């Protein structure tokens, strides 16, 4: 189970396995007891992380979309959120992450930040490629190498608001 909270703390977004594959359950914390107020199906793939933008307008889910053990691909599904409700009538924007499976996700109001699940070794140094993508266009902002990371330091945290 993967969980993210809305910026105001009134809603939890929980990725679960549903009858039609993976889905996001929107849980209202303002009712007692908390209730599921909405369920949104995810595109195909295995979810690896979830994050919400600091202004609460976008929710992102990283997906492992590898078809086989020999191919590493993934994507980030970006959903529009209005008043803590995922706009499921609008298809999510899909940002492809070629040649790697995304592991960790953080968001600003305008960008998504992704780390891969695999370490790259070059010149006897291990590193992760840390990438940023524009939410509106899906275009890459930049990719940079993060060095001296251990296998346990792959998670990134949101920084913002931006």
């Amino acid at each position: 189970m993967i969980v993210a909270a809305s910026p105001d703390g009134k809603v939890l977004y929980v990725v679960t396995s549903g009858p039609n594959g993976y889905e996001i359950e929107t849980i209202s914390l303002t009712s007692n007891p908390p209730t599921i107020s909405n369920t949104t199906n995810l595109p195909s793939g295995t979810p690896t992380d979830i994050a919400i933008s600091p202004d609460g307008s976008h929710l992102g889910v990283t997906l492992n979309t590898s078809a086989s053990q020999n191919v590493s691909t993934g994507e980030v599904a970006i959903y529009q959120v209005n008043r803590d409700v995922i706009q499921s009538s609008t298809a999510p924007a899909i940002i492809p992450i070629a040649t790697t499976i995304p592991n960790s996700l953080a968001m600003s109001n305008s960008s998504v930040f992704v780390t891969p699940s695999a370490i790259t070794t070059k010149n006897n140094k291990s590193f992760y490629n840390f990438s940023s993508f524009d939410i509106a266009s899906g275009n890459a902002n930049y990719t940079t190498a993060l060095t001296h990371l251990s296998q346990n330091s792959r998670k990134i945290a949101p920084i913002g608001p931006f």
Side-chain angles (χ1 to χ4, degrees):
M1 183 169 38
I2 306 168
V3 179
S6 64
D8 63 8
K10 293 180 181 178
V11 172
L12 285 181
Y13 301 98
V14 181
V15 176
T16 62
S17 181
N20 299 316
Y22 290 101
E23 58 191 22
I24 304 167
E25 291 180 349
T26 303
I27 300 174
S28 173
L29 299 176
T30 58
S31 60
N32 190 10
T35 57
I36 298 172
S37 59
N38 188 28
T39 301
T40 305
N41 290 326
L42 285 170
S44 63
T46 304
T48 59
D49 203 5
I50 187 172
I52 190 158
S53 62
D55 66 3
S57 66
H58 292 91
L59 182 77
V61 179
T62 51
L63 298 164
N64 172 352
T65 57
S66 296
S68 72
Q69 296 285 346
N70 300 326
V71 179
S72 294
T73 60
E75 61 191 25
V76 181
I78 305 292
Y79 293 87
Q80 293 180 2
V81 178
N82 185 11
R83 295 190 183 116
D84 295 327
V85 176
I86 298 170
Q87 301 302 296
S88 56
S89 60
T90 306
I94 302 295
I95 300 173
I97 312 294
T99 70
T100 188
I101 298 167
N103 180 67
S104 181
L105 174 69
M107 297 180 74
S108 72
N109 291 335
S110 60
S111 299
V112 294
F113 306 92
V114 180
T115 60
S117 61
I119 295 175
T120 303
T121 303
K122 186 175 183 180
N123 298 330
N124 293 324
K125 290 186 180 180
S126 297
F127 62 93
Y128 291 102
N129 285 328
F130 171 79
S131 301
S132 170
F133 298 88
D134 180 73
I135 289 174
S137 68
N139 294 331
N141 292 329
Y142 57 82
T143 298
T144 187
L146 300 175
T147 59
H148 308 296
L149 295 176
S150 72
Q151 198 64 4
N152 297 323
S153 59
R154 295 182 290 180
K155 185 82 172 152
I156 54 178
I159 50 173
F162 293 167

